[in-house]
């Protein structure tokens, strides 16, 4: 039997930002309601097109597209930000597990190819069945906003 790898962030390519410009750099320069954390070297934003509640994106502040463009310090801080984001999600949303990944290149499903970012997707037992149902439903902004409000206090305390 063939096993399907569940990679919801691949949908980002299809649903990706059509407005043009880099969503991460835009989030840094503008005040928006999706940015959870802006640090010295890293940032955390909520995926505007989540396939599951709590789908986060962790990116370096610098607009770079490849891992080898990160300096050693950024590498450490980036992974630390991933770890801390998982800790906050665990505490507030109590998931059973996580998918954490990088899409490098369009062929791999990167929606925002020019600015490196990790996806953090919280998982709950049985969520794949629910997702099949939700797949045809437009994401309601209020849900994102509610999740944002739940997660924001955790990220406000974050010092990296
Ligand atoms: Zn950028």
């Amino acid at each position: 039997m063939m096993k399907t790898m569940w990679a919801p962030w691949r949908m980002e390519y299809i649903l990706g930002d059509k407005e043009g410009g880099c969503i991460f750099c835009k989030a840094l320069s503008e005040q928006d309601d999706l940015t959870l954390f802006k640090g010295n070297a890293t940032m955390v934003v909520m995926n505007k097109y989540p396939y599951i509640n709590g789908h986060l994106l962790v990116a370096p502040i610098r607009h770079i597209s490849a891992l080898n463009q990160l300096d050693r310090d950024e590498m450490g801080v980036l992974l630390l930000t991933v770890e801390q984001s998982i800790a906050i999600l665990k505490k507030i949303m109590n998931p059973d597990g996580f998918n954490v990944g990088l899409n490098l290149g369009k062929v791999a499903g990167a929606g925002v190819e020019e600015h490196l970012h990790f996806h953090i997707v919280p998982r709950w037992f049985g969520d794949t069945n629910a997702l099949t149902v939700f797949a045809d439903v437009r994401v309601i902004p209020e849900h994102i906003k509610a999740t944002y409000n739940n997660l924001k206090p955790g990220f406000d305390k974050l010092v990296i």
Side-chain angles (χ1 to χ4, degrees):
M1 207 176 149
M2 221 169 83
K3 212 174 166 196
T4 309
M5 198 184 89
W6 195 81
W9 51 79
R10 283 171 176 235
M11 287 304 291
E12 193 192 31
Y13 176 58
I14 299 151
L15 298 170
D17 201 313
K18 303 286 194 296
E19 295 154 35
C22 174
I23 59 155
F24 297 101
C25 291
K26 236 192 270 181
L28 282 173
S29 60
E30 293 164 16
Q31 196 73 303
D32 67 33
D33 52 5
L34 293 175
T35 308
L36 287 163
F37 175 74
K38 289 178 193 178
N40 291 325
T42 56
M43 61 191 293
V44 182
V45 299
M46 297 189 60
N47 191 342
K48 203 173 174 181
Y49 307 102
Y51 257 68
I52 201 156
N53 219 8
H55 181 168
L56 305 184
L57 307 173
V58 178
I61 294 287
R62 290 200 299 133
H63 184 87
I64 50 176
S65 60
L67 285 169
N68 63 9
Q69 291 172 288
L70 292 166
D71 63 36
R72 292 277 168 157
D73 287 343
E74 282 173 316
M75 285 187 187
V77 175
L78 193 57
L79 197 56
L80 183 65
T81 310
V82 168
E83 181 270 320
Q84 289 287 299
S85 299
I86 288 172
I88 291 167
L89 284 168
K90 261 186 191 167
K91 198 174 162 194
I92 294 164
M93 301 182 78
N94 198 31
D96 301 308
F98 294 88
N99 287 106
V100 180
L102 283 170
N103 296 332
L104 300 174
K106 280 261 186 283
V107 71
V112 185
E113 202 182 4
E114 72 274 16
H115 196 135
L116 187 72
H117 57 282
F118 274 92
H119 289 260
I120 301 176
V121 182
R123 303 295 311 276
W124 289 266
F125 287 116
D127 61 18
T128 41
N129 295 333
L131 281 167
T132 327
V133 176
F134 292 146
D136 290 331
V137 180
R138 290 267 168 271
V139 176
I140 301 159
E142 276 76 5
H143 289 176
I144 296 179
K145 190 69 194 156
T147 306
Y148 179 89
N149 290 338
N150 286 338
L151 293 174
K152 192 71 173 87
F155 281 95
D156 283 343
K157 282 180 234 148
L158 200 56
V159 181
I160 293 177

